[in-house]
Amino acid sequence: MQAKPSTDELIAFVGARLAETAVQAELFHELACTAVASGEPGPRTAVLEGCACPVPREILDRALALRSELDDCERRIRCQDPRDPKWPLDPVFAEQTLRVLALPFELHHQWQDAWLPG
């Protein structure tokens, strides 16, 4: 019998997938983009300042917004205070939100079915 995955594993899983998404954003530059034409080795995300390609910027913005939501969920889960009037619902809702954030990565090989929202 497998042990139930921890919330820490879920947080690490979502964080890693969002980091991968941010790195993969550079694959969506247009062919005439100066970031692609420069031929610089390595990640070009720093070059996006002069880039007019809409897709990499949109992917990065979405990954940053989801990362902010992930950080908020992690804070709400870790900062449990029984004196808080929102306790215990706030951590429970945060964990459910975390599971929803993980859902788009369900086909990833590290996904665990115990992470399905429920």
Side-chain angles (χ1 to χ4, degrees):
M1 181 173 180
Q2 262 188 350
K4 182 181 175 195
S6 72
T7 303
D8 290 338
E9 290 176 299
L10 180 56
I11 290 169
F13 174 79
V14 174
R17 300 300 74 77
L18 292 175
E20 287 173 358
T21 300
V23 169
Q24 292 169 354
E26 77 175 62
L27 300 174
F28 294 92
H29 287 282
E30 296 174 3
L31 291 177
C33 178
T34 57
V36 176
S38 69
E40 294 177 18
R44 295 179 198 90
T45 52
V47 184
L48 283 178
E49 299 307 318
C51 174
C53 300
V55 177
R57 175 67 61 202
E58 187 175 317
I59 292 171
L60 283 175
D61 289 347
R62 180 170 172 76
L64 287 174
L66 292 174
R67 182 65 209 202
S68 175
E69 186 67 29
L70 173 65
D71 292 342
D72 180 58
C73 288
E74 183 177 10
R75 180 190 54 75
R76 290 169 36 208
I77 289 168
R78 298 201 190 290
C79 299
Q80 297 185 33
D81 183 3
R83 297 170 296 179
D84 186 348
K86 295 180 281 187
W87 185 84
L89 292 178
D90 197 36
V92 170
F93 289 147
E95 184 166 347
Q96 286 301 311
T97 302
L98 188 58
R99 290 168 183 252
V100 170
L101 288 175
L103 202 52
F105 307 108
E106 182 180 12
L107 297 179
H108 191 276
H109 70 277
Q110 292 178 337
W111 170 265
Q112 298 183 33
D113 286 337
W115 291 335
L116 284 169

